[in-house]
Amino acid sequence: MAKKKRGKQHARKQPRRTAPPATHAPKHAPSHAKPLPPSTSFWFGFEISSAKLAVARVVVFGLLALDAVLQVRHAPRYGASDFNVAQLPWLDALGPGRVAYTICQLAIAYLLVVAAFGLATRIALPIATALYAWLYFGSQLDSYQHHYLVALVLLLACFVPWQPPPEAAPATPVRSWALRLVLVQLAIVYLWAAISKLDRAWLDGRTLASQLTGTVGKLIGSTVGFKVAAISIIVVELALAATIWSKRTWRVAAPLGIALHLGIIATGLEIGLFAYLMLGLYVLVIPDRIWLWIADRMPSPRAWLDRTSWRLVGACLVVSIVVAWLVRLPFALPVALVALVVPLELANRARRRRSAPRAAIGIAHLAAILLWLVVDRTTSVAADYYKYWGGSQRRLAAGNPARKLAHEDEAERAYRRWVAIAPGDAAAHFQLGRLLIQRGRGDDGIGELHQAQSLDPHGARAFAEEARALAAQGRMPEAVAKAKDAVFAEPSNQDARALLDQLSKSQVPASPAPDDPD
C-alpha cells in the first residue's frame, strides 16, 4: 500500500510536457485580423506584406520628391503679369506665384523624402498633398491629366498605414482599403486611355506614326507596322484595366504593365516622370513572395539605426545646412532652415518617450537636402529657372512701358545669375548681352556677345546681334564684317543672310533680332 501511495504522489509531482519554445519567427506571419463579410472584404480585407508596403513607400514617394524638385524650373511662369487661370474659377486669385511655387515644390520634395523614410507620415503626407493640390488645381500652366492622378494617389496615401508596428516581420500582412482604391483608380485610368483611342486616326496607326519618329518608330514601321502596334496598345490597356486591381490576375498585369511603360520611356513620349511613377506603382502589383524573397536576403537596417547615438542626428542636421548653402536653387537655404523644425520635433518626441535614438531622423532630413543638391548639380533645373525668369521679364518689359525699367532690372538679375550658374552656356551670355545693348550699355553687351561667340562659334545669332549693335552705332564697315561672320558660322541661317543683304546695301536699317525661347 505504501508503495502504491508513493507511486501516486510521484505521478502527481511530474510536470506537464509542453512543446519547446520556438526559436525562429515564422517566415510568413499569418494574419490575425478578424475575417470580414464578403460584402466588405473586397475593400477592407485587401492585404499586402509589410515588405511590399515599405518598398512601395520608398519608391513612390522618392519618385514624387524627385519630380517636385525638377518642377522648380517652371516657377517663373507662375504669376507672371499677375495673370492666372485656375482649374476652378474661385481659385483664380489664389494661384501660386513664382516665389510660392518654388518654395512649395522644395517643401513637397522634403516632406515626401521624410515620408519615404517612414517618419511622420500622418503629418508629412497631408501637408504635401495639400500643397500639391494647390499648385496644380490653382493654375492651368502645367496641369496635365497625370497631375490629377498623382493628386488622388497622394490623397489616398494619407489613409495608408505606412508605419507598421516595430515588431512587424517582412511577411506581416497589412490591410488597407486605400491601396485597393489606388489599384482600382489605375484600372479606370487604363480603361479611359483605351476608350480615348477608339477613333480612326489612332486605329489606322496615323497618330502613333506621327508621334514615334525615332529608333522605336523605325523598328515598329519595319516589323509589325503602326496599325498593329496601335491596336495592340488598346488591347494591353483593356487587359490592364481588367487585371491590375485583383491579386489573382497580378501575374498577367505585372509583365504587361511594366513592358508598356518601359516602352513609353523608350519612345521618349513620357511627360516628366509619369512613366517612371507608373512603374513605381507596379511595386504593389508584383507578387508579395518576390519582395519577401528579397527581404530574407537583405540585412535589416533597424538594429543599426536603433544603436546609433543622438550625436549622429545632430551631425546630420549641421551637415544639411552646409549642403543647403551649396544648392543653387532659389530659396533653398531658407526652406532648409525652416525644415529643421521637423527633425528637431521628431527627436524631441523620441526623447520624451525615452525611445532609442533613431538615426533615421537626421538621415532623412539630410537626404532631402541632398536630393536638392544632386538635382541642382546634375540637371539644368537651376539654369532653366533663371533663363525662364529672365525671358518672362524681358517680354513683360516689351509689353508694359509703365514698368519697363523694373522688368528689365529683374531680367538682368536673372540673366546674370544664369551666367554665374552656367558660365559655359553661350545662350546665357547671348541673352545678357542682348539685354545690356537694349538698355544702352553697348560695350558691356558686346563683351557678353564675344563670350557667346567663343562658346558657340558655329552659331550665327551672337555675330548677327553684334552686327546690329554696331550698325546702330553707325559703324557700318564693322557691322558688315560681323554679318559676314554670322553667315560664315552658320550658312543655313536665313536671318543672318537677310541681315547681311540689308547692311551691304546700306539702304534699310537692320531689322530687330527675332525673339526666341531662351
Side-chain angles (χ1 to χ4, degrees), residues 25-48:
K27 193 172 182 179
H28 300 284
S31 175
H32 300 292
K34 295 181 181 179
L36 297 173
S39 59
T40 59
S41 61
F42 177 82
W43 295 107
F44 300 100
F46 181 75
E47 293 180 346
I48 64 172

Side-chain angles (χ1 to χ4, degrees), residues 471-472 476 498-512:
M476 294 302 296
L499 176 63
L500 178 59
D501 290 340
Q502 291 177 351
L503 294 177
S504 299
K505 295 176 182 178
S506 299
Q507 296 176 356
V508 182
S511 60

